[in-house]
Amino acid sequence: MVKTYRFRLSAYTISLVLFLTITLAYTYVYSRNVILEEAENNITTTAQVLNSNLEMEENELTHYAEIVRDDLRIKEYIFMTSKLGTDNEALVTLHQRQFGWLPVDRQIIVTTKGQVVLGNEHQDLAQAVMHHLETSVEEVFYFQADKGLEMVTWAPVQYQGVQLGVIVMTHLLNSAWLEQLRQNSGGYLFIEANNLIKLSTLTQTEGEAFKPTPEGRVTIGAQPYRIRPIILSGPTENAPRLWYGVSEKELLLKLERHSRLVLLLTITGSLAILWMGMAIIRNFNQPLTQLMRMTREVAEGKLPQLHKSHAQNEIDMLHNQFAEMLQALREKQAEVDRAHKELEESAITDSL
């Protein structure tokens, strides 16, 4: 086993590089999981917020219907039209004057017998309402009209204990509505029915197949999305559904930017450690090599010149002490040479 300090320093440097690489790789994996988990949490939270916003819109639309329902003159006119058979012109005029300002898309009044006494041009809506009343008591449901998906609310009308019919209000969930919802939430919105996209903030996906998995994912075209349902009130069988989704491609782009940053840090850190390791090895190797060469020369009986260093580190201090030792040896050698010469001269003088 090699036990030189140069080998050890090289091994330590390589170990540091490996440690840095493993640490940054773990950081990337951990960050990736955090980003994906945060994205899942964000999608779920945003879907809950959208559910709350949609519920507020439903309550607001129901409130409009109740405002009309609670007007006494409207009740009287409905009673006269539906029970006494009078013309509905006065009802239409009164309703337009009193409630034409309401921010709704369609308004109708339907009697218990299915007669439309207000909004006769909206027969499709009247039929949907009568069908809904036969199967459900919920005051909010969604109806796929010719112009798109409509939010429908109704309020029952009674006059002097007699059930007259219902006041119906609708709000169209069109492209403008979806776009406004998207701007407030980010991501994308899809209206889907029978596994086909009917309307979307991504207009190029309209008409594409939409088959979500139990894990909350769907592939539209070739692009994967993470999705969450937005709950629509009313019957759900064969009814259109609203979805909120985020593109996995966009999430992966964030990860790709993060991975490039991690790779850059890994390369930079590894090069920095290697450079520092090589510098340390060089700084140790050069003076130690010189001292080893001097030691061999001393062992061979030579006393080479070694100039002192002005640095204050441990290697240079050892270097200076070795230089002092060589200087002391040279001085001793000079004394020995002088003594030897004096002895030679004394021997010659004594013999003479």
Side-chain angles (χ1 to χ4, degrees), residues 127-145:
Q127 293 176 7
V129 170
M130 295 307 298
H131 175 73
H132 175 75
L133 293 176
E134 292 174 358
T135 57
S136 176
V137 295
E138 294 189 37
E139 295 182 350
V140 180
F141 68 99
Y142 288 81
F143 166 58
Q144 185 65 46

Side-chain angles (χ1 to χ4, degrees), residues 209-243:
F210 192 95
K211 297 179 180 179
T213 66
E215 294 79 20
R217 289 178 173 81
V218 68
T219 300
I220 305 174
Q223 300 298 329
Y225 293 83
R226 295 172 182 253
I227 56 172
R228 292 292 184 276
I230 309 299
I231 306 302
L232 301 180
S233 302
T236 57
E237 185 178 358
N238 297 324
R241 294 182 293 179
L242 179 62
W243 299 85

Side-chain angles (χ1 to χ4, degrees), residues 61 64-65 68 102 104 106-107 151-153 167-170:
L61 196 61
Y64 292 151
V68 178
L102 290 174
V104 298
R106 294 203 284 180
Q107 303 180 53
M151 178 192 299
V152 184
T153 64
I167 308 291
V168 181
M169 303 283 180
T170 74

Side-chain angles (χ1 to χ4, degrees), residues 30-217:
Y30 179 79
S31 301
R32 180 181 184 276
N33 293 335
V34 168
I35 290 174
L36 293 177
E37 183 178 351
E38 188 65 27
E40 287 286 343
N41 294 336
N42 182 62
I43 294 172
T44 301
T45 301
T46 304
Q48 292 172 350
V49 171
L50 293 176
N51 274 317
S52 299
N53 292 342
L54 195 63
E55 186 177 353
M56 290 175 60
E57 289 193 31
E58 293 172 353
N59 293 335
E60 185 178 20
L61 196 61
T62 301
H63 179 63
Y64 292 151
E66 292 172 348
I67 290 175
V68 178
R69 186 269 312 276
D70 294 337
D71 188 278
L72 181 58
R73 295 184 64 186
I74 289 291
K75 291 181 180 180
E76 292 174 348
Y77 277 69
I78 295 175
F79 179 80
M80 289 186 293
T81 303
S82 61
K83 300 300 181 182
L84 303 180
T86 60
D87 189 84
N88 69 340
E89 183 176 351
L91 173 62
V92 173
T93 302
L94 174 65
H95 182 274
Q96 180 62 31
R97 184 173 66 249
Q98 292 289 104
F99 303 107
W101 58 271
L102 290 174
V104 298
D105 290 295
R106 294 203 284 180
Q107 303 180 53
I108 64 171
I109 299 176
V110 185
T111 67
T112 54
K113 297 181 179 180
Q115 178 187 1
V116 181
V117 295
L118 178 72
N120 192 53
E121 66 275 17
H122 304 305
Q123 290 294 327
D124 60 332
L125 178 59
Q127 293 176 7
V129 170
M130 295 307 298
H131 175 73
H132 175 75
L133 293 176
E134 292 174 358
T135 57
S136 176
V137 295
E138 294 189 37
E139 295 182 350
V140 180
F141 68 99
Y142 288 81
F143 166 58
Q144 185 65 46
D146 294 336
K147 293 183 179 181
L149 185 63
E150 281 186 294
M151 178 192 299
V152 184
T153 64
W154 57 272
V157 182
Q158 290 185 349
Y159 181 70
Q160 296 181 353
V162 178
Q163 184 70 30
L164 300 179
V166 292
I167 308 291
V168 181
M169 303 283 180
T170 74
H171 179 54
L172 183 62
L173 309 186
N174 54 14
S175 300
W177 181 84
L178 284 181
E179 183 60 29
Q180 181 180 3
L181 208 62
R182 187 196 69 80
Q183 291 177 358
N184 295 333
S185 62
Y188 304 101
L189 291 159
F190 306 92
I191 294 179
E192 168 261 332
N194 299 321
N195 293 327
L196 288 176
I197 298 176
K198 299 297 184 181
L199 191 64
S200 172
T201 51
L202 286 171
T203 55
Q204 66 271 22
T205 64
E206 294 177 6
E208 295 280 350
F210 192 95
K211 297 179 180 179
T213 66
E215 294 79 20
R217 289 178 173 81

